[in-house]
Amino acid sequence: MAPYLLLVLHIIFFLTGLSGIHGVSTVSHVSVSEGGSITIPCLYHHGSEKHVKYWCSGYFFNFCSTLIRTDSQSASNWLSIADNVTTRVFTVTMKNLQLGVSGYFWCAVEKGDTTHLYLSVATGTAGLYVDQQHVTGVEGQSVTVNCNYSNSGDFCWCRLGGSCVERTVWNLDGASVELKILANGKKVMTVTMSQLKMKNTGWYWCAVGDLQMPVHITVNQPTTTQSNTTTTNQNHGGTDEKQQERIQSYSLLVVLLIPLSLLVVLIAGTLVTLKMLRKQKDKKAKDQPPNTTVQSADSEQNITYSTVSHTRGTAQQDLNPESHGDLYSTVIPKQHRTAQREAEPGDVVYSTVAAHQR
């Protein structure tokens, strides 16, 4: 019923000149799940930056009830408004929506520019929704938005206040746009914007049939690492799968290098410890006093000399004591430079043995 009422309102507002479609732009019909949230962008023209913007509800603008204004925002847990004069877009965010909130709402500028939309709150899943209303990309790269739907109708991707893409592949403000309808049983329209430029930052909306869902895309400048990665992929024609393989290979290399590094550190620590122990041992040996136990030069004085001579009885005297009798020796100590002293244990005694026949 709502789409037909919306069409009637468009005709009435156009005939009465109250539509203000040339002053403010927004989506026309959005669907939100009960308890969910949504942000509605309202684009206004140059010259209205300093004027007050406000948000009201009701079938007709002249009788709508103002809910919030940019010049006097009241504290609210479910409703907020923000104005970006640089992009000339003011946004209204509604949270924790309930069934009774369903109805017509108006984006209005104080000087008289207005436009309206219909908000329907569903008890179950919304007719058209996205995973995130705010998506961030990098210049030169791509972003993907999944538009989940349960209704039927034509598909398109549009920029707020700009052009729309209805074909499978097309260009939009310098970016390449590709639309895909998944064939795995899920009703999802995948929108991929590649070769992003800084000027692609802004509000877009995906549409299926009579439903639209706003999405804001922010394009950031690449960092040094991101620039190098992008250049490498372009030069070598790399795909996301190849990049993932390189990341996995790098992760495996890191996993292998960690234990090897620990092993090298352990071996180096062991060698240093052994070297220190060896130095400590050598130093300890060097610090010990030398062995000064040296035989005194006077030991020669303790040597006792003796002369042993043979007394021959016959020409061929056998010196065997068993056959010729006893052997006698005379030990005569010889004095060497010092007075004679009694022999002590350890002194060397030389003797001359002479055999005497009885």
Side-chain angles (χ1 to χ4, degrees), residues 77-107:
N77 294 328
W78 73 281
L79 188 62
S80 62
I81 189 171
D83 185 15
N84 188 333
V85 296
T86 302
T87 59
R88 299 195 307 274
V89 174
F90 73 92
T91 56
V92 178
T93 301
M94 294 180 287
K95 301 179 180 179
N96 193 24
L97 292 172
Q98 303 302 315
L99 296 177
V101 179
S102 297
Y104 291 93
F105 293 85
W106 295 80
C107 299

Side-chain angles (χ1 to χ4, degrees), residues 252-268:
L252 180 60
L253 180 61
V254 172
V255 171
L256 293 176
L257 286 177
I258 290 176
L260 289 177
S261 300
L262 293 176
L263 181 60
V264 171
V265 172
L266 180 61
I267 293 175

Side-chain angles (χ1 to χ4, degrees), residues 30-40 77-80 92-98 101 119-122 124 126 128-134 203 212-214:
V30 294
S31 177
V32 185
S33 299
E34 183 179 9
S37 304
I38 191 171
T39 298
I40 303 296
N77 294 328
W78 73 281
L79 188 62
S80 62
V92 178
T93 301
M94 294 180 287
K95 301 179 180 179
N96 193 24
L97 292 172
Q98 303 302 315
V101 179
L119 171 66
S120 60
V121 180
L128 177 64
Y129 66 94
V130 292
D131 299 330
Q132 299 180 44
Q133 266 197 280
H134 296 269
W203 280 96
Q212 301 92 37
M213 176 54 61

Side-chain angles (χ1 to χ4, degrees), residues 187-350:
K187 292 185 175 182
V188 179
M189 179 182 71
T190 301
V191 180
T192 301
M193 293 186 65
S194 56
Q195 301 175 8
L196 292 173
K197 297 176 175 56
M198 297 298 296
K199 66 179 182 178
N200 296 131
T201 297
W203 280 96
Y204 298 79
W205 46 274
C206 56
V208 179
D210 65 326
L211 293 177
Q212 301 92 37
M213 176 54 61
V215 177
H216 186 270
I217 295 178
T218 302
V219 180
N220 296 323
Q221 291 183 346
T223 60
T224 303
T225 303
Q226 290 172 334
S227 300
N228 293 338
T229 302
T230 303
T231 303
T232 301
N233 289 339
Q234 291 177 350
N235 292 338
H236 298 281
T239 61
D240 292 339
E241 291 79 6
K242 291 182 179 180
Q243 184 176 0
Q244 186 67 25
E245 291 178 359
R246 287 195 294 269
I247 293 175
Q248 292 177 354
S249 301
Y250 177 75
S251 300
L252 180 60
L253 180 61
V254 172
V255 171
L256 293 176
L257 286 177
I258 290 176
L260 289 177
S261 300
L262 293 176
L263 181 60
V264 171
V265 172
L266 180 61
I267 293 175
T270 303
L271 293 176
V272 171
T273 303
L274 292 176
K275 187 175 181 179
M276 291 179 64
L277 292 175
R278 181 175 296 176
K279 286 185 177 180
Q280 185 176 4
K281 183 177 179 181
D282 294 343
K283 183 178 180 182
K284 185 176 181 181
K286 184 177 180 180
D287 293 341
Q288 288 181 351
N291 188 4
T292 57
T293 305
V294 180
Q295 186 176 0
S296 174
D298 296 338
S299 59
E300 294 180 359
Q301 300 174 4
N302 298 328
I303 299 175
T304 302
Y305 297 90
S306 64
T307 301
V308 179
S309 61
H310 293 282
T311 304
R312 299 179 180 268
T314 58
Q316 296 181 349
Q317 186 177 359
D318 191 356
L319 298 179
N320 189 349
E322 293 182 358
S323 59
H324 298 283
D326 298 332
L327 293 175
Y328 295 92
S329 65
T330 301
V331 179
I332 303 173
K334 292 183 178 180
Q335 187 175 1
H336 183 73
R337 294 182 183 180
T338 58
Q340 183 178 359
R341 63 178 179 83
E342 187 178 354
E344 295 179 359
D347 292 342
V348 180
V349 179
Y350 297 89

